Amino acid sequence: MAATLKRAPARRPVQKRKQPRQSIIDRLIAVLPISEATLHRVATWSITGAVIAGLVTFAAWMGIPGAIGIAVAEGVGRAGFRVQQIEVTGLSRMDRMSVYAVALDQQSRAMPLVSLEEVRAKLLKYGWIEDAHVSRRLPDTLLVHIVERKPTAVWQDKGQLSLIAANGVWLEPVRADAMPDLPLVIGPGANEQEAAYQQLLNAAPALRPLVKAATWVGNRRWNLTFESGETLQLPEGNAAAAHALVKFAEMDGVRPLLNKGWLRFDMRDPAKLVARKPGEETARAITDPSGDDPNDKSRAPKPAVIEAKKHVGVMGQG
């Protein structure tokens, strides 16, 4: 009897599973230098913050009483959205603890109840702070970035020395033995004239390093004191004072006037320069030597100094 052979059932070809295709978003997430868990955390806080903002807006639109809104916000604070940390950047001279004190001066530290505008307004009351940027970082951090003013001069008034910034903004007291290398302005209201004084010095830059101090006289004009001890009285008005200072610089450049024993130079009348030496009661009018032509030998040189006819006593500051 012949054996019957059974054919084995045909094997079906094994189909390979297709790898799921990555979306563009998945690819972007893969190349980011942060973990997926961090991304989920950021997304969670962002969504929560949006929900909080929406609830507050909805409550205001529906006219929900303030007490209820505050209660809701406090509940959010108890859920973890409460100021616990303050990060301050941009400080160099300003006291950091003062910034912390302002940021924490809140009726409630629940995040929805912290007024960023109010914190900024309080910070701007400090002289050192020119600008401030305040923001939240959920769930529990306030971010404060400070833009500080830069000192531009030292102001002396009634024997007190102070650092001031542009436009005369008061910054802080300064000791005489710790004065920075900044222009010194003296007298009531001199701080408010700081910008005009800087422009005055810019008119004659060669004289800037020679000026020791400037006194604002009668709320109308400047007296400059040089490092060599002389005083230069300038006329009223910014333009007239700048013109007189430039003229003085030109005359000093042709025939040196500073460090030559003079006590005071008077240019309150911009058309002339009157000077006096210590112990003398007669002022002298100094001619302008800049009009001389050194190559013209036919002309006799002008005298550098001639005595004025006017008899004067000790010259005042007014």
Side-chain angles (χ1 to χ4, degrees), residues 19 29 77 85 197 219 223 230 256 276 280:
Q19 296 293 332
I29 292 176
Q85 302 180 64
Y197 175 59
N219 199 31
N223 280 354
E230 305 91 343
R276 184 170 67 87
E280 292 185 351

Side-chain angles (χ1 to χ4, degrees), residues 147-194:
V147 178
E148 288 188 337
R149 289 187 170 92
K150 296 181 179 179
T152 56
V154 177
W155 175 37
Q156 179 179 325
D157 186 36
K158 299 178 181 178
Q160 301 295 320
L161 295 172
S162 304
L163 279 180
I164 59 174
N167 299 320
V169 178
W170 187 91
L171 298 178
E172 67 181 17
V174 62
R175 302 192 316 271
D177 60 352
M179 283 180 56
D181 186 18
L182 293 172
L184 173 63
V185 293
I186 303 172
N191 61 316
E192 299 175 358
Q193 301 297 321
E194 181 273 340

Side-chain angles (χ1 to χ4, degrees), residues 57-191:
T57 303
F58 178 75
W61 182 70
M62 292 295 293
I64 296 177
I68 298 177
I70 292 174
V72 172
E74 289 290 1
V76 172
R78 288 191 294 271
F81 292 87
R82 190 176 189 83
V83 177
Q84 301 289 349
Q85 302 180 64
I86 299 174
E87 291 187 10
V88 180
T89 57
L91 287 185
S92 176
R93 304 288 294 271
M94 174 73 184
D95 178 31
R96 185 174 296 271
M97 296 308 297
S98 297
V99 178
Y100 289 149
V102 169
L104 293 174
D105 184 19
Q106 307 287 333
Q107 292 184 349
S108 172
R109 295 187 185 178
M111 272 293 189
L113 297 180
V114 175
S115 173
L116 305 183
E117 293 78 11
E118 183 177 341
V119 173
R120 179 177 182 272
K122 288 180 179 179
L123 289 172
L124 293 180
K125 293 180 180 179
Y126 287 85
W128 276 111
I129 300 179
E130 183 175 11
D131 200 2
H133 306 277
V134 187
S135 59
R136 300 181 181 90
R137 187 175 67 196
L138 298 177
D140 60 359
T141 304
L142 278 185
L143 306 177
V144 181
H145 178 69
I146 301 295
V147 178
E148 288 188 337
R149 289 187 170 92
K150 296 181 179 179
T152 56
V154 177
W155 175 37
Q156 179 179 325
D157 186 36
K158 299 178 181 178
Q160 301 295 320
L161 295 172
S162 304
L163 279 180
I164 59 174
N167 299 320
V169 178
W170 187 91
L171 298 178
E172 67 181 17
V174 62
R175 302 192 316 271
D177 60 352
M179 283 180 56
D181 186 18
L182 293 172
L184 173 63
V185 293
I186 303 172
N191 61 316

Side-chain angles (χ1 to χ4, degrees), residues 198-218:
Q198 297 284 2
Q199 292 181 355
L200 176 64
L201 293 180
N202 290 338
L207 293 179
R208 178 185 281 269
L210 306 180
V211 177
K212 181 179 181 181
T215 302
W216 183 239
V217 181

